[in-house]
Amino acid sequence: MMRRAAVLGKGALAVHTCETIAQLPDTVLDTVIPTTPEPAWDVSLTAVVTARWPDVRIVGSGDLRELEPGRCDLVVSVLYDKIIGPELIQATPQIINCHPGRLPQYRGVRPVNWALRNGDDLAGITLHVIDEGVDSGPILAEALFSIWPDLDEVRDVWWRAIAHGRQLITDTLPLLGRIRPQPQNPTLAVTHHSRDNHLLGERSDWTRALSGLPH
């Protein structure tokens, strides 16, 4: 029996996730919920899905509540910016998130910014099971890559994470039923919240040159 899948999120990485799911032999892409408004600096998930998979349901409002719990067997969140509630989590056999940072060290918002702010020489992108915490579910797969805080801007590391994320999704989604998720180590967990963004200083924007400009 074919399972139904939903993709939530934005940009080229969410499009790649749709492509990967569409190629799985036992899965049909059923629903796409784009982040709203969609960012102007990345491709439009809505436009690509409309053109390539016209039968896929698109929730143009971006409202997660329009995805009925139990409708889909697989839900993949890719850079989606809304909190996924317990009803959908509990009703979905496989529900996972693609997080553009290392876990558990960079839970929460702006993991790329914080990795540069902290002077790290490694960053990452992680696929994990969604639970009712903030990026706290068991890890399915991760990709780590070098960064150079003296040289890199946020935008450099962001697009590097997206490139590694493409391969991570390609490798992982076909194996979901065979991978054993590994619990995160809570003693290493750090969660960043939006209320802490002012502490990012010159790493608050895409580049250090923009950090002092009004928004």
Side-chain angles (χ1 to χ4, degrees):
M1 184 174 65
M2 298 289 283
R3 60 179 179 171
R4 295 194 292 188
V7 173
L8 326 174
K10 65 187 177 189
L13 194 56
V15 168
H16 180 68
T17 303
C18 292
E19 293 170 339
T20 304
I21 287 172
Q23 294 171 4
L24 296 177
D26 60 347
T27 306
V28 60
L29 182 61
D30 178 84
T31 301
V32 166
I33 303 180
T35 299
T36 54
E38 294 190 79
W41 43 264
D42 207 338
V43 300
S44 167
L45 178 60
T46 299
V48 174
V49 171
T50 300
R52 296 186 57 182
W53 300 285
D55 294 334
V56 171
R57 181 177 70 144
I58 299 175
V59 179
S61 67
D63 191 341
L64 186 59
R65 291 172 296 182
E66 294 191 40
L67 179 60
E68 308 91 321
R71 177 185 176 98
C72 291
D73 309 290
L74 169 65
V75 171
V76 186
S77 171
V78 185
L79 314 177
Y80 188 63
D81 63 350
K82 304 292 191 304
I83 294 174
I84 297 174
E87 187 178 9
L88 182 61
I89 294 171
Q90 294 165 11
T92 307
Q94 290 183 313
I95 182 165
I96 66 176
N97 180 47
C98 185
H99 177 73
R102 301 173 69 184
L103 292 176
Q105 298 93 328
Y106 286 97
R107 295 176 179 176
V109 303
R110 298 195 178 188
V112 168
N113 304 62
W114 281 108
L116 287 168
R117 172 68 176 81
N118 292 340
D120 291 358
D121 58 8
L122 280 178
I125 186 164
T126 310
L127 283 174
H128 68 93
V129 177
I130 294 176
D131 62 12
E132 295 181 25
V134 177
D135 300 321
S136 56
I139 292 172
L140 290 158
E142 64 178 355
L144 303 181
F145 52 90
S146 294
I147 61 174
W148 298 273
D150 291 342
L151 305 175
D152 279 325
E153 300 294 348
V154 169
R155 66 183 177 191
D156 301 322
V157 178
W158 173 267
W159 291 117
R160 204 172 300 150
I162 298 305
H164 283 274
R166 288 177 61 90
Q167 190 64 51
L168 193 67
I169 286 167
T170 297
D171 293 342
T172 307
L173 292 192
L175 301 177
L176 278 181
R178 298 161 58 189
I179 296 173
R180 179 177 297 178
Q182 299 300 309
Q184 296 184 32
N185 182 347
T187 66
L188 299 177
V190 177
T191 303
H192 296 102
H193 301 277
S194 295
R195 63 177 177 267
D196 303 319
N197 285 347
H198 67 284
L199 300 174
L200 285 168
E202 66 178 4
R203 293 302 191 175
S204 64
D205 215 318
W206 277 112
T207 72
R208 282 167 283 193
L210 294 173
S211 62
L213 299 178
H215 293 279

